[in-house]
Amino acid sequence: WLILQNKQPEDFVIATGEQHSVREFTEVAFKRAGIELKFEGEGINEKGICIAVSGSTSTDLIGKTLVEVSEDFYRPTDVVNLWGDPTKAKAKLGWNPSKTSFEQLVQIMVDHDMAKIAAEGAAAKVRTNLAEYLEKGIVK
């Protein structure tokens, strides 16, 4: 929105200036969902194994591999350090990449997905019940 309000068209890098790994993102996301992971192995053989659950999360997950590296997405020759410099966006637009922390951003994403899953689950139950009621003639 800030870029669109700028008087002159320009290129801006929208970034935090921080660097986070996929593993770090995964740890924060799973923790928000009530799952603690332990990572084992390296590179293509790295796996995230459930070691604890909290809340309403099923204890059946303990000891199971929940995350693993996919050969389809593994890029061993990729650049090691990637992060953007938001200096221009800060200076010219007044953009503040620190307003939402990395952890807060991941939590927002997980909360949204969990709410969506819950709503889809409820909708599926309603559809199932409606089909059953129609079949039994309870609802016409």
Side-chain angles (χ1 to χ4, degrees), residues 52-67:
V53 294
S54 62
S56 62
T57 309
S58 172
T59 56
D60 294 348
L61 298 175
I62 294 176
K64 292 190 177 173
T65 298
L66 302 182
V67 179

Side-chain angles (χ1 to χ4, degrees), residues 30-77:
F30 273 81
K31 186 172 186 176
R32 182 65 176 185
I35 300 169
E36 187 178 344
L37 297 174
K38 176 178 83 171
F39 285 89
E40 294 180 353
E42 290 183 22
I44 198 73
N45 298 314
E46 186 172 16
K47 296 179 183 206
I49 300 165
C50 177
I51 59 171
V53 294
S54 62
S56 62
T57 309
S58 172
T59 56
D60 294 348
L61 298 175
I62 294 176
K64 292 190 177 173
T65 298
L66 302 182
V67 179
E68 58 188 331
V69 175
S70 169
E71 283 191 64
D72 295 337
F73 301 108
Y74 187 67
R75 303 183 306 194
T77 59

Side-chain angles (χ1 to χ4, degrees), residues 3 6 14-15 22 25-26 34-35 44 56 61 68 80 82 86 95 101 103-106 110-111 123 126 131-132 139:
I3 293 171
N6 199 35
I14 302 302
V22 173
F25 177 87
T26 303
I35 300 169
I44 198 73
S56 62
L61 298 175
E68 58 188 331
V80 176
L82 294 172
W95 184 66
S101 72
E103 289 77 11
Q104 289 170 322
L105 179 61
V106 175
V110 170
D111 290 351
V126 168
E132 183 181 329
V139 176

Side-chain angles (χ1 to χ4, degrees), residues 114-128:
M114 298 289 274
K116 185 177 179 188
I117 289 167
E120 288 172 355
K125 286 182 182 177
V126 168
R127 283 191 297 274
T128 301

